[in-house]
Amino acid sequence: MPLKIWIDGKLHEKTDAKLSVYDHGTLYGDGVFEGIRVYDGKIFECEAHLKRLFDSAKAIRLAMPYTAGELTAAMEETVRANSFNDCYIRLVVTRGAGYLGLNPTKCPTASAYIIADTIELYSRDIYEKGMSVITSSIIRNHPSAISPRIKSLNYLNNILAKIEAVDAGVSEAIMLNHMGNVAECTADNIFIVRDGRVRTPGTAEGILEGITRGVIFKLCARLGIPCDECVLQRHDLYIADECFLTGTAAEVIPVAKIDGRIIGEGKCGPTTRRLMDAFHKHIREA
Ligand code: PXG
């Protein structure tokens, strides 16, 4: 059965789901989005994702065309129409159709669309053995230019780093910020464990405040694992006891190798394992 895509209040078959070529989302990357998981028919961290979407829209001065309640209902409708129990939702809001010029005030109405689809997952093996990653030569967007806190439709910064990962034969690349500190990966946040403490770069380092990252903060508090935001240099990664990545697609995934160097024991470490188990328990109970 072909997928049904929600566009501005109507469901369309995938082949008929179309946007204007004058939409500033495609002309300029002028829009915002969210990637969200559905587990057992329930939208995971729905409120947190919508909050981030509305914050991103506010940051680019995009008037949201729907309320959070309307978007929640639309996502639920799209998941139901496609008979999914577990899936991935891409919720996109674009500036809408305008003219061939930058001025966003000439785009009278923003557009929203929702895709519910299956998600490409990493193999089970990687969650045991850990992932190999590299640090990228591409510096994360300067927070004073386009803040990485905005989940915008312009992902070129991340895509350039992802190309380096692909060239190196690994799945993710760590991006440093304009000060040379660790920021995040192309589509994941990064954490280390050192002397029993979980640490991750703070917002001021120029990162997307991942929803999964937020869940890890809550789980650490619940499990009594000390967890803080701090400045991390590449050196801190290399000497870490454990390293893991978090994201909607990856969930919690251990890192075994960075730039060819073995991290800790070179496999999923005990604290990472605890957090992975707690994360899966949390999903089932959410
Ligand atoms: N940093 C960046 C730059 C991201 O794009 C994360 C961190 C993790 O955030 P969440 O909220 O997911 O914990 C992301 C998330 C995709 C895809 O299809 C990308 C993301 C999430 C889901 C799917 O490429 N990026």
Side-chain angles (χ1 to χ4, degrees):
M1 206 175 64
L3 278 182
K4 292 200 174 57
I5 319 282
W6 186 97
I7 309 178
D8 290 320
K10 286 203 192 84
L11 287 166
H12 303 263
E13 296 219 336
K14 185 174 168 181
T15 44
D16 300 323
K18 296 188 174 78
L19 283 187
S20 165
V21 292
Y22 282 81
D23 193 300
H24 280 209
T26 48
L27 285 177
Y28 298 113
D30 187 357
V32 292
F33 78 101
E34 281 298 318
I36 310 171
R37 289 282 278 262
V38 173
Y39 295 109
D40 201 18
K42 200 158 175 280
I43 301 170
F44 184 64
E45 293 284 335
C46 185
E47 214 175 291
H49 278 286
L50 286 172
K51 188 160 186 274
R52 187 171 67 183
L53 182 76
F54 277 76
D55 287 346
S56 293
K58 194 169 189 181
I60 69 161
R61 300 183 60 176
L62 171 67
M64 284 292 285
Y66 305 99
T67 64
E70 286 167 342
L71 288 174
T72 304
M75 286 192 282
E76 285 168 352
E77 182 189 354
T78 311
V79 172
R80 234 182 296 121
N82 289 290
S83 307
F84 279 124
N85 203 37
D86 291 286
C87 69
Y88 172 73
I89 294 174
R90 174 65 58 92
L91 166 57
V92 183
V93 184
T94 77
R95 189 78 67 177
Y99 76 130
L100 297 180
L102 270 71
N103 187 353
T105 64
K106 300 248 174 101
C107 304
T109 41
S111 255
Y113 65 89
I114 297 165
I115 303 169
D117 206 339
T118 50
I119 183 164
E120 199 190 317
L121 299 170
Y122 292 119
S123 71
R124 279 271 29 115
D125 210 35
I126 295 191
Y127 289 86
E128 292 303 322
K129 293 189 178 147
M131 184 186 255
S132 285
V133 302
I134 55 155
T135 48
S136 172
S137 73
I138 305 292
I139 298 303
R140 189 76 177 100
N141 281 335
H142 195 297
S144 302
I146 301 170
S147 174
R149 294 171 75 178
I150 304 169
K151 199 162 168 67
S152 87
L153 290 180
N154 189 323
Y155 253 55
L156 275 177
N157 183 224
N158 315 52
I159 288 166
L160 292 179
K162 181 78 175 189
I163 290 169
E164 289 189 340
V166 173
D167 283 348
V170 299
S171 306
E172 257 293 9
I174 299 162
M175 302 182 76
L176 306 179
N177 68 14
H178 58 289
M179 298 176 285
N181 301 328
V182 175
E184 59 179 336
C185 294
T186 67
D188 293 303
N189 291 112
I190 185 162
F191 288 75
I192 61 161
V193 184
R194 172 86 171 167
D195 299 330
R197 301 189 80 84
V198 170
R199 339 197 82 151
T200 193
T203 319
E205 297 303 311
I207 59 161
L208 183 77
E209 292 153 290
I211 305 302
T212 321
R213 176 180 179 270
V215 172
I216 290 296
F217 290 166
K218 273 192 242 165
L219 295 176
C220 281
R222 205 178 290 169
L223 296 170
I225 302 170
C227 175
D228 38 38
E229 294 183 320
C230 63
V231 174
L232 293 178
Q233 293 172 326
R234 190 150 45 170
H235 178 76
D236 295 303
L237 304 182
Y238 292 159
I239 64 167
D241 298 329
E242 300 177 35
C243 177
F244 62 90
L245 312 182
T246 65
T248 293
E251 299 177 329
V252 184
I253 196 158
V255 172
K257 217 186 237 185
I258 304 176
D259 298 331
R261 296 162 188 248
I262 306 281
I263 305 305
E265 303 277 311
K267 58 175 194 227
C268 182
T271 303
T272 308
R273 165 62 57 201
R274 259 184 99 194
L275 287 168
M276 282 164 69
D277 291 347
F279 185 82
H280 286 111
K281 189 162 171 268
H282 176 70
I283 285 168
R284 286 193 301 274
E285 289 165 358

